[in-house]
Amino acid sequence: MNELNVNLPQASVSYAIKIEKGLLQKVGKEVAQLTKSRRVAVITDRNVDSYYGAAVEQQLADEGFEVSMIVLQPGEQTKTLSMMPQIFSQLIEAGLTRSDVIVALGGGVIGDIAGFAAASYLRGIDLVQIPTSLLAQVDSSVGGKVGVDLPEGKNLVGSFYHPTQVIIDPEVLNTLTDHYFADGMAEVIKYGCIWDADFFDSLLKLESRDAVMTEIEWIIARCCDIKREVVEQDEKDKGLRMLLNFGHTLGHAIEAYYHYEHITHGHAVAIGMATLTEISEARELTETGTADQLRRVLKMHRLPSEMEDTKVYNDILSFVRKDKKQLNNQLHVVLLNSIGTAATHQTDVSFFDSLRTGGQDH
Ligand SMILES: NC(=O)c1ccc[n+]([C@@H]2O[C@H](COP(=O)([O-])OP(=O)(O)OC[C@H]3O[C@@H](n4cnc5c(N)ncnc54)[C@H](O)[C@@H]3O)[C@@H](O)[C@H]2O)c1
Ligand SMILES: O=C(O)C(=O)C[C@@H](O)[C@H](O)[C@H](O)COP(=O)(O)O
Ligand SMILES: [Zn+2]
């Protein structure tokens, strides 16, 4: 087993990230070690429930927990404020009190919305993250960002709320579709870009999903460890943590432009990382050849580098203008110096002007 510990003494928070093939079979015992409570609500989505819901429910019941399953529709469109009343009603119906536990069993959508429910219900109850998509295992289950989207933009309502433990079983990735596996690889590649050139190089040697799966425990552990290191230095996203947003300024704008349909988070972030790096290389802010390296690794892992229809950029830029990480109308964009190192730059939306195809955005 790989075990990492996230320590945030200023927030009086400390939690373990456990990574082991087959760990889902021991989930009842893991949760039982964390709490004296007897009630657990498992929040999941229909897909994940169909594969793993019954087994998780049974294991928790075997440990004496009274278990309620809250099963949501899969997909980004579930991550909205309008879902919250339904979730809160189900938590009340299940009789969950302040000393009980919410288990988030699913991908990043479930982790974010169940985490937001845990942060708000009764002003906060314990949360255990059991991420089941690659993206959730390498990124969203760690670091405490929870929340929901608004039509105006991604993750515009939420909070920082840390789990009491993150339980990662890489074996569950076997049932993930290729599309969502690629989504997770976008965030994996992001870590190589902003933090670790050797890690990036190792991704260039793993040419297929099967090859990635041979190294999966190590890959997940490396990503979680980078995120741990960043979050421990800047929990509230005021400085260093913004590096984890590489590719997201444009990526989030693309997702919002498409109303959170048609393009998923990792694919949008892949386009954001490649497009931004092309622009910053043209402006001599990034070492020549970096965009090529990035496009190569994205292609290898079945990810796009650009929008199929470049005419939509004009309209996407109106969402970039609304990005939440602004200070005095200045955007924070994360640019690579070269593969493995990055820095935050303050700029305005005109940084993206080369994407315009004539006319003004509105
Ligand atoms: N909080 C954070 O720090 C953070 C970080 C990165 C991304 N995110 C958020 O995460 C979300 C994307 O997460 P995602 O890509 O996991 O999407 P997702 O939760 O929609 O999961 C992707 C799909 O895979 C299915 N699925 C999940 N695990 C499965 C499994 N083991 N087997 C079969 N199917 C499975 C789900 O049902 C869903 O259809 C976005 O909302 C993004 O904004 C949050
Ligand atoms: O944890 C972080 O910090 C990140 O930026 C990780 C991102 O991959 C993730 O998509 C996150 O949800 C973005 O946060 P936001 O604050 O830009 O909405
Ligand atoms: Zn992301």
Side-chain angles (χ1 to χ4, degrees):
M1 156 143 24
N2 271 293
E3 184 164 338
L4 307 166
N5 273 286
V6 181
N7 290 305
L8 301 161
Q10 69 285 8
S12 306
V13 165
S14 172
Y15 58 94
I17 305 168
K18 294 187 175 179
I19 309 163
E20 186 180 44
K21 288 188 179 161
L23 196 53
L24 205 69
Q25 314 302 322
K26 303 181 203 160
V27 80
K29 291 200 166 35
E30 289 292 335
V31 176
Q33 278 171 19
L34 294 168
T35 178
K36 292 192 174 63
S37 122
R38 296 312 335 143
R39 278 200 195 92
V40 174
V42 177
I43 303 183
T44 188
D45 73 26
R46 216 176 41 236
N47 295 334
V48 177
D49 183 54
S50 71
Y51 289 112
Y52 307 107
V56 168
E57 186 177 5
Q58 186 60 55
Q59 283 166 46
L60 289 165
D62 288 349
E63 292 301 314
F65 289 108
E66 200 179 295
V67 190
S68 304
M69 299 297 289
I70 299 179
V71 183
L72 308 177
Q73 294 271 54
E76 187 71 30
Q77 288 187 319
T78 285
K79 213 180 98 174
T80 59
L81 268 183
S82 61
M83 289 304 297
M84 300 315 294
Q86 176 194 325
I87 295 173
F88 292 139
S89 293
Q90 287 185 261
L91 293 172
I92 290 166
E93 204 176 305
L96 248 75
T97 65
R98 263 195 181 160
S99 53
D100 296 322
V101 180
I102 288 180
V103 168
L105 174 71
V109 164
I110 291 299
D112 282 10
I113 194 166
F116 187 49
S120 343
Y121 182 70
L122 306 180
R123 299 206 178 87
I125 72 170
D126 280 357
L127 167 71
V128 175
Q129 290 275 7
I130 308 183
T132 61
S133 68
L134 179 59
L135 183 143
Q137 295 191 345
V138 299
D139 192 348
S140 60
S141 60
V142 175
K145 278 190 180 177
V146 296
V148 294
D149 305 327
L150 296 183
E152 292 85 353
K154 283 274 298 185
N155 306 329
L156 290 188
V157 176
S159 58
F160 292 94
Y161 194 73
H162 297 275
T164 50
Q165 192 163 119
V166 183
I167 297 170
I168 301 180
D169 179 354
E171 261 171 17
V172 302
L173 300 179
N174 291 328
T175 52
L176 198 63
T177 63
D178 283 342
H179 178 92
Y180 285 111
F181 195 86
D183 260 323
M185 285 308 297
E187 304 278 18
V188 172
I189 290 164
K190 174 190 80 178
Y191 289 111
C193 288
I194 61 164
W195 203 260
D196 185 343
D198 290 340
F199 183 59
F200 182 94
D201 287 345
S202 66
L203 300 175
L204 277 168
K205 293 183 194 119
L206 299 168
E207 292 196 16
S208 64
R209 173 172 172 165
D210 286 347
V212 171
M213 281 307 283
T214 62
E215 304 284 337
I216 195 69
E217 242 181 280
W218 170 77
I219 290 173
I220 294 168
R222 183 65 193 124
C223 294
C224 289
D225 202 37
I226 294 172
K227 189 152 185 185
R228 176 202 60 74
E229 203 178 334
V230 172
V231 169
E232 281 183 351
Q233 292 176 63
D234 176 26
E235 183 210 353
K236 293 280 167 67
D237 209 9
K238 305 274 188 218
L240 184 72
R241 185 168 181 166
M242 288 186 197
L243 296 187
L244 298 175
N245 237 239
F246 173 50
H248 284 60
T249 309
L250 202 54
H252 279 171
I254 294 169
E255 286 183 82
Y257 170 77
Y258 283 110
H259 310 288
Y260 313 109
E261 285 180 313
H262 308 306
I263 184 148
T264 49
H265 183 70
H267 282 64
V269 167
I271 294 170
M273 293 191 292
T275 306
L276 190 70
T277 304
E278 209 166 291
I279 297 172
S280 65
E281 204 176 300
R283 292 178 168 225
E284 298 183 346
L285 295 166
T286 296
E287 191 176 285
T288 307
T290 307
D292 265 352
Q293 283 175 281
L294 182 48
R295 278 191 293 260
R296 212 174 118 221
V297 79
L298 291 173
K299 190 169 177 209
M300 181 178 281
H301 294 287
R302 299 182 181 204
L303 285 158
S305 296
E306 58 186 7
M307 300 295 299
E308 274 169 30
D309 177 5
T310 53
K311 288 201 283 303
V312 298
Y313 279 125
N314 290 358
D315 292 327
I316 287 170
L317 291 182
S318 65
F319 284 91
V320 168
R321 272 186 209 287
K322 293 183 211 146
D323 190 88
K324 66 173 134 353
K325 277 169 207 154
Q326 295 194 39
L327 188 65
N328 304 328
N329 287 330
Q330 292 279 290
L331 295 169
H332 284 96
V333 290
V334 178
L335 306 181
L336 302 184
N337 306 322
S338 58
I339 294 293
T341 58
T344 309
H345 296 247
Q346 279 194 25
T347 180
D348 61 29
V349 76
S350 66
F351 185 82
F352 296 94
D353 269 354
S354 58
L355 297 177
R356 289 185 200 283
T357 49
Q360 280 296 309
D361 60 309
H362 40 80

